Amino acid sequence: MLATLSPGLVCCLATAALLWGCPLPLALQNELKIHLAKIGGGARPVRKGVSGHRLGLRSQDVGELDGVPVTCPARTWLDLAAVLDLEDLVAAADYFICSQSRSFGPQKDALCSLGDLLEQVHSTPGARGIRKARQALELCRVGADSAPETRLRLAIGRLGLPEPALRYVVQDATGWELAWPDVAFPDFKVAVNYDGRHHLEERQRESDIRRDESIAAIGWASVTVTAGHVRQWGFDGCAHRVLDSLARAGWRIEG
């Protein structure tokens, strides 16, 4: 990679985001140019296959990933504010700050904290997209596992529904863990899940059915959203399914 062949260069923006595994729109995922910046400022890198940037990087803004110089997660996220729309930027923030500790499956450690994102915004007031970054910080939450989960949560918020809980564990009377819904409304016993592609596998589908049956037995309702639902109704339409379930559980719009 060019960053390893040219001393003083660091991967940034979409290139850094992809190296960190951050979800991005397809246009940026498929971009052929490598985004590089000069450590310590100076002229933008100019060469074939490179999109050069002039960034005021501090020493703490630069790290290394598998031997490649790269902007740290928090700085990468802030730089993305210049090229992402608000929802994609919130999804990126959710990705970087997500941590999960469950009794099953792999654990997930956050790549940075919400405090790290806040520090970047406060210390770089002149960054491109800074207003958007401030908006995104108000909307991001710890615990969203994927970009579709983030988009569904934002659509739920646009309807004025109660703030959902993330990383909530549905337990029976003995404390046995029955389910970890993507989004939960404990006061109304409504669990919401975005089921991605792996949920189409027969083994996973059977597990999902057992999950929904087990929480139904203790009075919880389940709302499952799939990619097919999103294609048909959009995230806002899917959020109305959540509204309907909450209304059946007793939630009412105030006023």
Side-chain angles (χ1 to χ4, degrees):
M1 181 175 282
L2 287 174
T4 63
L5 301 176
S6 304
L9 295 184
V10 58
C11 294
C12 60
L13 281 106
T15 302
L18 290 172
L19 288 172
W20 288 114
C22 178
L24 292 177
L26 281 176
L28 290 180
Q29 290 182 39
N30 297 329
E31 195 174 41
L32 297 179
K33 287 190 175 182
I34 298 174
H35 293 268
L36 297 175
K38 186 83 171 176
I39 299 174
R44 293 182 299 168
V46 178
R47 62 186 64 196
K48 186 177 180 180
V50 167
S51 180
H53 303 271
R54 183 180 294 148
L55 303 175
L57 299 174
R58 305 166 298 171
S59 59
Q60 61 264 41
D61 294 337
V62 179
E64 197 172 273
L65 188 62
D66 296 329
V68 177
V70 61
T71 49
C72 71
R75 178 65 200 224
T76 300
W77 174 80
L78 178 60
D79 292 335
L80 289 174
V83 295
L84 296 182
D85 65 26
L86 180 61
E87 287 205 0
D88 285 328
L89 190 61
V90 175
D94 282 358
Y95 170 79
F96 281 123
I97 65 176
C98 182
S99 64
Q100 296 281 10
S101 179
R102 297 174 173 173
S103 59
F104 65 93
Q107 308 306 298
K108 186 172 184 179
D109 295 324
L111 292 171
C112 67
S113 69
L114 179 57
D116 293 331
L117 300 185
L118 286 165
E119 191 277 332
Q120 280 287 343
V121 167
H122 291 153
S123 65
T124 322
R128 290 178 59 204
I130 193 67
R131 290 185 180 179
K132 195 191 306 175
R134 293 190 183 108
Q135 285 180 278
L137 285 179
E138 295 178 1
L139 295 170
C140 67
R141 299 289 185 272
V142 175
D145 248 347
S146 67
E149 288 178 29
T150 294
R151 289 186 176 277
L152 180 59
R153 177 176 59 79
L154 293 176
I156 288 170
R158 285 193 291 273
L159 286 182
L161 302 183
E163 175 80 15
L166 306 184
R167 304 192 296 180
Y168 186 83
V169 188
V170 181
Q171 300 174 314
D172 64 16
T174 69
W176 184 260
E177 296 180 4
L178 300 177
W180 284 74
D182 296 329
V183 168
F185 298 87
D187 291 344
F188 301 95
K189 292 189 174 183
V190 173
V192 183
N193 287 289
Y194 178 85
D195 284 358
R197 188 176 303 169
H198 75 283
H199 288 268
L200 297 176
E201 299 171 4
E202 184 176 353
R203 189 172 179 180
Q204 184 62 50
R205 288 176 62 188
E206 291 175 355
S207 176
D208 293 340
I209 291 170
R210 290 195 299 271
R211 172 200 67 196
D212 292 344
E213 289 178 343
S214 68
I215 66 173
I218 60 170
W220 279 70
S222 294
V223 178
T224 298
V225 176
T226 68
H229 294 148
V230 173
R231 285 192 297 269
Q232 185 173 2
W233 302 311
F235 284 102
D236 288 306
C238 292
H240 274 87
R241 295 183 58 218
V242 180
L243 185 155
D244 292 343
S245 187
L246 285 171
R248 287 193 295 271
W251 177 78
R252 295 292 180 268
I253 299 175
E254 294 183 3

